[in-house]
Amino acid sequence: MSFIYNIIKSYLFVALYFTLISFSYAEVKRSAAEKNMEWGAPTQDVSASIATTKVTYVVGEPIPIVYRLKNDSNNNIWISVSDPLSDFDINVTGIGFGVVSRKDFNRKVNRVDIPLTLYGKQRKSLSLEASARAAMLSPGKQFKSHFGAYSMSRLYDMSIAGEYEIKISQKLTFHGSQEIINLDSNTLKIKVVNRVE
């Protein structure tokens, strides 16, 4: 009986050891990624950041976005947490492609505002009908949104291979104040390429 007990004890020890190592590795990887995060210019000691898992995507591939808000001020702030499409102003810009008009057919446009897809328009319309909810973010804390199941490439027409920039703005207020602050994230640059057959 003690032989089986010792085997089980050894197995549990090894499992615990590898679990701790994997958690340590994940923590080191996460902290390294957070150190390399780009943040938008702070507004009254509050900053916003957007990031994605990689810099190059294939046309049609989901492009997930993670939004972070960091409160380095000494005050509580109120943020809307209803729906990402109603909480944030999302700007997607195409760089170096597009046609202005027929007469300018051969001229490349430097920057093009990328429109919502039909799905994106429908989701945006539904998000505006969502009941408003707010949350308080304490000093020194961060808020993180994965945009639910939304993918930028499904919400916005990113079906043309090229370079895109994504920037997110959010309105917030400090606790006890009526002033509305507009906070801009960093500008996220990604590349969309055609699928290689």
Side-chain angles (χ1 to χ4, degrees):
M1 189 69 166
S2 67
F3 175 73
I4 293 173
Y5 173 75
N6 285 336
I7 289 176
I8 292 172
K9 192 165 91 172
S10 297
Y11 174 76
L12 290 174
F13 176 76
V14 169
L16 177 63
Y17 174 78
F18 282 109
T19 302
L20 289 174
I21 284 184
S22 65
F23 278 137
S24 298
Y25 174 74
E27 186 62 29
V28 166
K29 193 174 175 184
R30 185 180 68 79
S31 62
E34 286 183 358
K35 284 181 186 173
N36 295 328
M37 281 176 53
E38 290 184 41
W39 293 88
T43 302
Q44 297 185 29
D45 295 325
V46 181
S47 307
S49 171
I50 54 172
T52 188
T53 51
K54 53 188 183 177
V55 293
T56 303
Y57 291 87
V58 175
V59 170
E61 184 180 3
I63 301 175
I65 295 289
V66 176
Y67 174 86
R68 284 185 177 88
L69 181 71
K70 180 170 62 170
N71 183 6
D72 288 328
S73 75
N74 295 321
N75 301 302
N76 293 322
I77 57 173
W78 285 101
I79 56 173
S80 177
V81 291
S82 306
D83 185 287
L85 292 181
S86 60
D87 295 341
F88 306 116
D89 289 326
I90 305 167
N91 295 306
V92 180
T93 307
I95 309 299
F97 61 88
V99 176
V100 177
S101 67
R102 204 174 262 288
K103 69 176 185 162
D104 294 324
F105 189 76
N106 292 322
R107 185 168 74 91
K108 286 210 167 195
V109 175
N110 208 12
R111 302 176 71 78
V112 178
D113 289 336
I114 303 301
L116 286 163
T117 61
L118 187 58
Y119 171 81
K121 288 177 184 174
Q122 182 186 33
R123 294 303 313 156
K124 178 85 171 173
S125 172
L126 291 172
S127 75
L128 295 174
E129 296 172 9
S131 56
R133 290 180 295 151
M136 187 180 287
L137 189 64
S138 304
K141 299 292 183 183
Q142 288 190 22
F143 165 78
K144 185 173 171 182
S145 172
H146 289 277
F147 276 71
Y150 295 135
S151 159
M152 288 297 112
S153 56
R154 190 163 183 211
L155 295 171
Y156 290 85
D157 186 1
M158 302 172 78
S159 58
I160 298 174
E163 294 180 8
Y164 294 86
E165 291 182 349
I166 302 170
K167 191 169 190 172
I168 294 178
S169 300
Q170 182 179 23
K171 291 180 174 38
L172 53 92
T173 57
F174 283 102
H175 184 65
S177 171
Q178 299 297 320
E179 181 186 5
I180 296 175
I181 298 162
N182 196 52
L183 183 67
D184 291 330
S185 73
N186 58 307
T187 300
L188 179 65
K189 297 181 180 185
I190 59 170
K191 188 173 186 179
V192 175
V193 296
N194 287 317
R195 187 178 303 276
V196 178
E197 299 297 333

